[in-house]
């Protein structure tokens, strides 16, 4: 009977500790596993700048298709630079980018972009590209 009771206590403690770690989020070396982390020195990070350029190119390509052969020039934007970035480990790396662009009329506009990179598959996928809440002066 005492062996059964000890086993039940151990199982209860294991279950409780699992619930607590789930509620708080699992941390490793002070970071939440699966959480976003800031990318440092964004302006000097070639990979991040290339992902920003890819995001703009993919947006322009999709915009051109959506316009159906019409004049898509007014919908396209030119890449200027990535001004901020975060990354998250998922099934690959998910990058959250804030991109500065120049529009067809010469104004500067900010966009938010989300790109998933799977290096082992040599793939990049643009998940999101939309105007950011804030604008830079025209």
């Amino acid at each position: 009977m005492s062996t059964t009771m000890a086993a039940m206590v151990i199982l209860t403690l294991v279950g409780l500790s699992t619930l607590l770690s789930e509620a708080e989020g699992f941390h490793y070396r002070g970071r939440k596993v699966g959480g976003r982390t800031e990318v440092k020195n964004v302006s000097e990070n070639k990979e991040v700048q290339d992902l920003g350029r890819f995001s703009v190119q993919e947006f322009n390509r999709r915009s051109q298709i959506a316009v159906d052969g019409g004049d898509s020039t007014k919908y396209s934007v030119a890449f200027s630079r990535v001004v901020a970035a975060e990354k998250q480990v998922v099934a690959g790396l998910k990058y959250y980018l804030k991109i500065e662009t120049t529009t067809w009329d010469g104004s500067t506009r900010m966009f938010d972009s989300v790109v998933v990179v799977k290096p082992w598959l040599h793939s990049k996928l643009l998940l999101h590209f939309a105007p950011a809440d804030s604008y830079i002066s025209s």
Side-chain angles (χ1 to χ4, degrees), residues 87-128:
K87 67 180 175 179
Q88 178 181 25
V89 177
V90 292
L93 290 172
K94 186 183 257 186
Y95 286 88
Y96 298 84
L97 309 174
K98 179 132 347 239
I99 302 171
E100 180 183 303
T101 66
T102 305
T103 61
W104 64 276
D105 65 357
S107 62
T108 301
R109 194 163 184 193
M110 298 296 284
F111 283 85
D112 289 323
S113 172
V114 179
V115 180
V116 173
V117 178
K118 295 183 180 179
W120 65 95
L121 295 176
H122 305 288
S123 78
K124 292 182 272 192
L125 178 63
L126 179 64
L127 299 179
H128 174 81

Side-chain angles (χ1 to χ4, degrees), residues 10-29:
I10 290 172
L11 284 175
T12 303
L13 289 175
V14 168
L16 214 77
S17 67
T18 302
L19 285 174
L20 288 175
S21 68
E22 291 291 324
E24 293 178 19
F26 184 72
H27 289 75
Y28 176 73
R29 293 187 180 181

Side-chain angles (χ1 to χ4, degrees), residues 49-61:
Q49 295 299 320
D50 287 346
L51 287 173
R53 190 171 287 106
F54 165 78
S55 297
V56 170
Q57 290 170 343
E58 185 66 11
F59 168 75
N60 288 336
R61 185 185 71 77

